[in-house]
Amino acid sequence: MKSTEVFNIAWAAILKNKVRSLLTMLGIIIGVAAVIVMVAISAGTEATINEEINSLGANLVFVQSSFTRGGAGGAPEGGLVYDDAAAIAEGVDGVGGVVVEQTASETVKSSSAVLDGISLLGSTSDFPSVRDMNIADGRYFNELEVDRKQKVAVLGASLAEELFGDSDPIGQDITVGTTRLVVIGIFEEKGLVGDVDYDSRLYMPITVVLDKFAQSQFARIMGDRVRLIYVEVDDQENLDNVILQIELLLAKRHDLPLEEADFTVTTQQDIIGTQEATTAAFRSLLAWVAGVSLIVGGIGIMNIMLVSVTERTREIGIRQSIGATPSDIRWQFLTEALLLSLVGGLIGVIVGVSGAWIFGSVSGMRTVVVTSSIILAFGSAALVGAFFGYYPANKAAELDPIEALRHE
Amino acid sequence: MAARAIIETKTLTQIYGMGDARVAALDGVSISVHEGEFVAIMGPSGSGKSTLMNILGCLSRPTSGEYFLDNEDVSGLDKVELAAIRNKKIGYIFQSYNLLSRTTALDNVILPLQYDRTTERTKEEREEVATKALGMVGLADRMQHQPQELSGGQQQRVAIARALVNEPVLIMADEPTGNLDSKSGAEIMELLHDLHNEGATIVMVTHSSEIASHTQRTIHLRDGKLDKVISNGKKAKK
Ligand SMILES: Nc1ncnc2c1ncn2[C@@H]1O[C@H](COP(=O)(O)OP(=O)(O)OP(=O)(O)O)[C@@H](O)[C@H]1O
Ligand SMILES: [Mg+2]
């Protein structure tokens, strides 16, 4: 019997019981769709996080403060201070740049606009290179300006637009809270990275932020303490060496043995590693969920195929009596099982791809449909069909013609 | 000149069950049927008629004994080889027609052509051959009907067309009129006699001595053994 004829018979059998076929395919549909949606969500999340990490600039080392709560006044003890950053920049070899950041929020006025709640980012002069930000016009402030607490400001792209419209902001005055600053530069557009909008921020020397705008209770008791120092290493090769130098230097400055350090040093690699471990764990969980639902789907197919073989025992007997060989019969039922799983897989792909898209637009989460997940899911569906279809098909093929013909 | 033997069996034996439940459904049956012969098989219920038909129709293999079909020893063939023999050499007509339901008469008749591995035929050629077979049994105007839309007699005609379509050397009929009223039964018998007159070799089980008497020979079975063979005095037409 030709394969097209076998296909037609199998297809007719599936169409004959449309509802039953659809219910049988449900397990496969759900399994395949689940794989595609879950992989799309995980790939979307991963892409977002990677962008975030990359936007920080390469070869970054993070020196994080670990405070201990102080005595009566509640002022924290230990931890990093602003001068630690300068000490790292001077005392550690192989460092490309050191940045300390301090944020605040203020009302910003220009000659033509008043904007409330603008976030201020105080930093040091290495900020653009360490954080991969490019100046579009003018310049960033230098080390001297930071030291001297110069009242200069650099605008994010969209903030410049909102404050000054079409006119050139460079050299113009803005009022932040009650303090006047001169605009000396504008950043290129950076866009949203993660959930941070770098374009709507106002950048200025960290010393100015600490001096004028650190108004919150928390900020005041913090004094010149900083939470985080970004250190850019000039060469990936030097990473471990730089970390060691930083640890030794800070331990000495804080007069503590290394084991009791009031700071931690992590690298971008550590963060990526953690991220990858999380993703891998998620992936394997996903693989289990998908595997189980595909197996359940396969058992469903096997179940229905066994019913089908029983129902059509007489038909099998008739076909055998006019010359169908065991392999003719086996192929007929295997094709039917394969077709069930493939059609189920196809519907699953459609449901999965549109499901990922709908989920993405409804939840606002980023989803990336991964081609290999479609191929994998579809391929597994086919494999499941062949595996679970074989036993019923073989049972049909092994039927004795006379007994099959006698079946009512 | 002796006609060519189509069926030649030697001490065919079929044993069912074991120990106390052991039944010899066939017990050493040796018969022969020649080309162009129309032979009836009779016997009381349980005498082994269907068992013999199943073996002669290559639907099962005997426990022991030899069976030559068209001079080929088929008693030792495997399932696949037997399937090919059923397809090419034997046309089987059942009491209960055994047509595929929800399948047109034409598609039912095409079925043996689809399982034929030895002859390459296009879809059109198959339809042509099947149409011709349906024409021979007088159903040219019912080709697109499904079994449930046909009378019992018409269904049996479709089954006969299906049995003929691969031009078998032997036609087996197990009580072909058993499910039919006397008028349709007579029409089916007329059709079988027409086939016989055109040279077909036919072996038929029947419970009616009247029907048997119109064949050339009647083989009587009893308790799985050959009881007697009666010649009905008709000449084989060639
Ligand atoms: N599959 C089987 N297993 C066990 N015994 C069987 C089997 N098939 C047939 N028999 C036994 O073999 C004997 C012959 O059965 P068979 O069906 O050949 O009789 P029959 O002549 O066709 O009868 P009927 O006229 O009722 O159709 C009976 O005793 C029957 O019970
Ligand atoms: Mg019988």
Side-chain angles (χ1 to χ4, degrees), chain B residues 27-237:
Chain B
D27 192 357
V29 174
S30 304
I31 57 166
S32 60
V33 175
H34 294 278
E35 189 175 21
E37 238 188 327
F38 194 166
V39 174
I41 297 178
M42 291 190 75
S45 184
S47 57
K49 303 183 295 294
S50 294
T51 305
L52 179 60
M53 288 295 278
N54 289 338
I55 295 171
L56 296 182
C58 288
L59 284 164
S60 67
R61 277 175 294 189
T63 312
S64 69
E66 283 173 54
Y67 173 23
F68 290 85
L69 173 65
D70 198 17
N71 291 322
E72 182 185 354
D73 184 1
V74 295
S75 28
L77 298 185
D78 65 20
K79 282 181 177 181
V80 178
E81 292 165 325
L82 283 179
I85 298 278
R86 288 197 295 271
N87 182 252
K88 288 300 284 183
K89 297 210 161 178
I90 297 167
Y92 213 110
I93 301 163
F94 301 91
Q95 179 176 352
S96 51
Y97 330 129
N98 276 339
L99 300 176
L100 290 189
S101 58
R102 271 174 268 221
T103 305
T104 63
L106 185 65
D107 285 340
N108 263 293
V109 177
I110 285 175
L111 218 51
L113 301 172
Q114 291 180 324
Y115 287 115
D116 180 3
R117 284 156 204 272
T118 59
T119 320
E120 276 292 324
R121 287 193 187 91
T122 64
K123 193 169 175 288
E124 289 70 31
E125 284 167 344
R126 288 174 183 175
E127 274 173 18
E128 198 185 311
V129 174
T131 304
K132 220 175 104 198
L134 278 166
M136 274 170 67
V137 299
L139 283 179
D141 56 342
R142 293 284 191 280
M143 294 198 298
Q144 294 305 328
H145 286 61
Q146 298 186 355
Q148 65 272 19
E149 300 161 355
L150 296 170
S151 72
Q154 288 169 330
Q155 289 185 55
Q156 195 60 299
R157 281 165 192 272
V158 176
I160 293 173
R162 183 181 64 188
L164 294 175
V165 77
N166 254 338
E167 298 177 347
V169 295
L170 173 65
I171 289 173
M172 307 285 298
D174 195 348
E175 296 191 50
T177 62
N179 280 12
L180 299 172
D181 59 59
S182 52
K183 183 169 170 287
S184 316
E187 283 168 11
I188 292 299
M189 283 318 299
E190 206 173 308
L191 186 54
L192 289 178
H193 280 290
D194 287 346
L195 291 173
H196 173 231
N197 289 338
E198 283 158 30
T201 311
I202 304 174
V203 175
M204 174 183 70
V205 170
T206 180
H207 277 290
S208 153
S209 40
E210 150 71 13
I211 287 177
S213 69
H214 293 294
T215 65
Q216 291 166 305
R217 266 196 304 159
T218 307
I219 294 172
H220 286 266
L221 292 180
R222 183 175 295 276
D223 296 333
K225 293 194 178 71
L226 201 61
D227 185 25
K228 56 192 174 190
V229 179
I230 296 171
S231 180
N232 298 320
K234 306 232 159 144
K235 279 251 152 66
K237 292 187 186 159

Side-chain angles (χ1 to χ4, degrees), chain A residues 212-269:
Chain A
K212 302 280 180 190
F213 306 114
Q215 292 158 328
S216 69
Q217 176 75 16
F218 179 66
R220 239 170 285 139
I221 56 170
M222 291 286 288
D224 64 349
R225 287 189 175 80
V226 291
R227 288 161 165 271
L228 182 59
I229 300 172
Y230 298 87
V231 179
E232 188 190 26
V233 181
D234 53 12
D235 190 350
Q236 186 85 35
E237 303 271 295
N238 289 337
L239 203 64
D240 292 338
N241 179 261
V242 168
I243 291 170
L244 190 64
Q245 288 185 64
I246 293 172
E247 285 174 340
L248 293 173
L249 177 82
L250 293 182
K252 196 172 159 206
R253 279 178 61 85
H254 296 187
D255 205 14
L256 289 167
L258 254 186
E259 306 80 60
E260 291 168 30
D262 48 2
F263 58 89
T264 55
V265 183
T266 50
T267 65
Q268 207 160 337
Q269 254 58 44

Side-chain angles (χ1 to χ4, degrees), chain A residues 123-134:
Chain A
S123 62
T124 46
S125 57
D126 291 331
F127 179 84
S129 87
V130 174
R131 301 297 295 267
D132 258 1
M133 303 266 294
N134 296 321

